[in-house]
Amino acid sequence: MTQTLRQRLQACLEDGSKADKALASYMLARLNSVPFETAGSLAEKVAVSEPTVGRFCRSLGYKSFKDLKEQLRQDIGDRPWLISDRLRDFQQRSLAGEDQLARGLQLEISGLVAIYELAQTDEWKRVARRLAEASAVYVTGFQTERGLAQYLANQLQYLREGVHLVDLAGGNFAELLLSGGPSPCLVIFEARRYSRMAKLLAREAKQAGIRTTLVTDAFCDWGRDLVDEVLVVSTEFNQFWDSTAQMASLGSLLVNSVFIELGPSVEERLNKMATLYSRFTGHVGDGSGPVE
């Protein structure tokens, strides 16, 4: 084949049907676990029919979902994702007893590997460069993702000026949509069930010409029509609820990429931030903290 499966899936995100985009988005986020799926299990997770999965595979140039999996196995191999003797032993003992935690651990490790693979893409590099160079950076999250947005914003504030956590209480997002800066950008954290405000804000930002990056799960089928980049993370780890914990891992890795873009010039700001923190707050054992 002239194109890899990943390339074919990414191309599908541009011109595929709604069902095809949903399947492609899910598979890109969970590529390492696709060999362990069936057409039926994949259809159930993406909320499409099993025949739709078959038609989707044929549209990509594969005879069937089984054929697609075989091609993928040749690329990533059948090796277990659990590494080291300790993890391997845990896997064997747990799987023997159908331990659900073992399955969750496999999925989390696979998801983390996918984030590091994502960090090597041109899309990721474009986001990191924008976060380093934009006139202002705005970050927001809705529902349980609010804390993830604050984490990224607080980390970026150590590296550069002009980073803002969007105030949801204001109700109109005027600080972003009426910012008037030459090149502001926006990062949205969102996972299902998606907040109506997230989609509306993405649409308004697009109309205002604000470059937007959406960090979301593999089920989001509306993001790519409204934002510049969609960074997809795994959220299914065999737990009662979907987990957005790996969005925090993505945020940490993104901060590292922004640091690389900024280079040594960031040291001066880091030192000033540390001095201010010591002056007003202080650390345990630091005698330079606040003086009454």
Side-chain angles (χ1 to χ4, degrees), residues 46 86 88 97 140 142 145-146 150 154 161 174 191-192 213 235 246 258 266 278 284:
V46 186
R86 183 177 178 184
R88 212 181 304 275
T140 191
F142 301 87
E145 290 72 55
R146 287 177 297 173
Q150 182 171 2
N154 289 163
E161 62 182 12
R192 65 174 183 176
T213 302
T235 55
Q246 292 206 1
V258 174
V266 80
S278 294
V284 174

Side-chain angles (χ1 to χ4, degrees), residues 90 94-95 97-107 237-239:
F90 176 81
S94 300
L95 291 181
E98 297 185 352
D99 192 313
Q100 298 303 304
L101 285 177
R103 179 57 178 157
L105 179 59
Q106 286 181 303
L107 292 172
F237 303 121
N238 210 31
Q239 299 176 14

Side-chain angles (χ1 to χ4, degrees), residues 109-213:
I109 292 175
S110 177
L112 186 59
V113 170
I115 291 175
Y116 275 79
E117 291 175 339
L118 181 62
Q120 296 177 320
T121 63
D122 292 338
E123 187 176 40
W124 179 283
K125 295 173 183 176
R126 184 168 65 246
V127 174
R129 188 176 303 114
R130 183 184 305 134
L131 293 180
E133 298 176 354
S135 60
V137 176
Y138 295 85
V139 188
T140 191
F142 301 87
Q143 305 174 105
T144 55
E145 290 72 55
R146 287 177 297 173
L148 294 160
Q150 182 171 2
Y151 172 78
L152 178 62
N154 289 163
Q155 294 289 315
L156 288 176
Q157 284 167 352
Y158 272 85
L159 302 184
R160 54 156 295 168
E161 62 182 12
V163 178
H164 310 277
L165 182 66
V166 177
D167 181 12
L168 305 184
N172 55 24
F173 304 108
E175 70 270 37
L176 166 68
L177 299 175
L178 301 180
S179 64
S183 58
C185 68
L186 170 66
V187 178
I188 300 175
F189 285 84
E190 181 68 327
R192 65 174 183 176
R193 299 176 62 188
Y194 313 104
S195 167
R196 184 179 295 109
M197 283 198 298
K199 186 175 181 179
L200 178 59
L201 178 59
R203 181 182 296 119
E204 292 288 334
K206 182 177 182 179
Q207 292 176 354
I210 299 171
R211 296 292 187 182
T212 302
T213 302

Side-chain angles (χ1 to χ4, degrees), residues 11-290:
C12 181
L13 294 176
E14 301 296 329
D15 52 17
S17 65
K18 182 177 180 179
D20 287 352
K21 287 181 179 179
L23 284 164
S25 181
Y26 181 86
M27 291 174 69
L28 280 169
R30 303 287 297 278
L31 204 57
N32 298 324
S33 63
V34 168
F36 307 103
E37 299 280 4
T38 65
S41 67
L42 180 61
E44 182 178 0
K45 290 175 179 176
V46 186
V48 298
S49 67
E50 192 168 337
T52 298
V53 174
R55 288 193 295 270
F56 172 70
C57 294
R58 290 190 292 275
S59 73
L60 295 179
Y62 302 96
K63 297 178 182 178
S64 61
F65 184 57
K66 181 180 179 181
D67 181 40
L68 181 150
K69 290 197 299 180
E70 287 302 317
Q71 294 293 329
L72 185 56
R73 285 182 190 274
Q74 294 177 18
D75 292 336
I76 68 174
D78 279 325
R79 61 190 182 282
W81 282 107
L82 301 181
I83 57 176
S84 84
D85 292 340
R86 183 177 178 184
L87 287 175
R88 212 181 304 275
D89 178 64
F90 176 81
Q91 178 198 30
Q92 292 171 352
R93 286 187 291 105
S94 300
L95 291 181
E98 297 185 352
D99 192 313
Q100 298 303 304
L101 285 177
R103 179 57 178 157
L105 179 59
Q106 286 181 303
L107 292 172
E108 289 218 50
I109 292 175
S110 177
L112 186 59
V113 170
I115 291 175
Y116 275 79
E117 291 175 339
L118 181 62
Q120 296 177 320
T121 63
D122 292 338
E123 187 176 40
W124 179 283
K125 295 173 183 176
R126 184 168 65 246
V127 174
R129 188 176 303 114
R130 183 184 305 134
L131 293 180
E133 298 176 354
S135 60
V137 176
Y138 295 85
V139 188
T140 191
F142 301 87
Q143 305 174 105
T144 55
E145 290 72 55
R146 287 177 297 173
L148 294 160
Q150 182 171 2
Y151 172 78
L152 178 62
N154 289 163
Q155 294 289 315
L156 288 176
Q157 284 167 352
Y158 272 85
L159 302 184
R160 54 156 295 168
E161 62 182 12
V163 178
H164 310 277
L165 182 66
V166 177
D167 181 12
L168 305 184
N172 55 24
F173 304 108
E175 70 270 37
L176 166 68
L177 299 175
L178 301 180
S179 64
S183 58
C185 68
L186 170 66
V187 178
I188 300 175
F189 285 84
E190 181 68 327
R192 65 174 183 176
R193 299 176 62 188
Y194 313 104
S195 167
R196 184 179 295 109
M197 283 198 298
K199 186 175 181 179
L200 178 59
L201 178 59
R203 181 182 296 119
E204 292 288 334
K206 182 177 182 179
Q207 292 176 354
I210 299 171
R211 296 292 187 182
T212 302
T213 302
L214 174 64
V215 181
T216 189
D217 56 32
F219 303 97
C220 183
D221 59 359
W222 55 263
R224 293 186 184 276
D225 295 329
L226 299 176
V227 303
D228 296 275
E229 299 91 15
V230 178
L231 303 181
V232 179
V233 301
S234 297
T235 55
E236 288 188 303
F237 303 121
N238 210 31
Q239 299 176 14
F240 175 68
W241 271 330
D242 287 359
S243 170
T244 56
Q246 292 206 1
M247 289 186 180
S249 297
L250 182 147
S252 293
L253 204 55
L254 193 55
V255 168
N256 186 67
S257 296
V258 174
F259 174 81
I260 293 172
E261 289 289 334
L262 292 171
S265 63
V266 80
E267 182 179 4
E268 181 179 358
R269 181 174 177 84
L270 288 171
N271 289 335
K272 289 181 178 179
M273 290 285 286
T275 299
L276 288 172
Y277 191 90
S278 294
R279 183 180 303 159
F280 287 99
T281 306
H283 298 90
V284 174
D286 182 1
S288 62

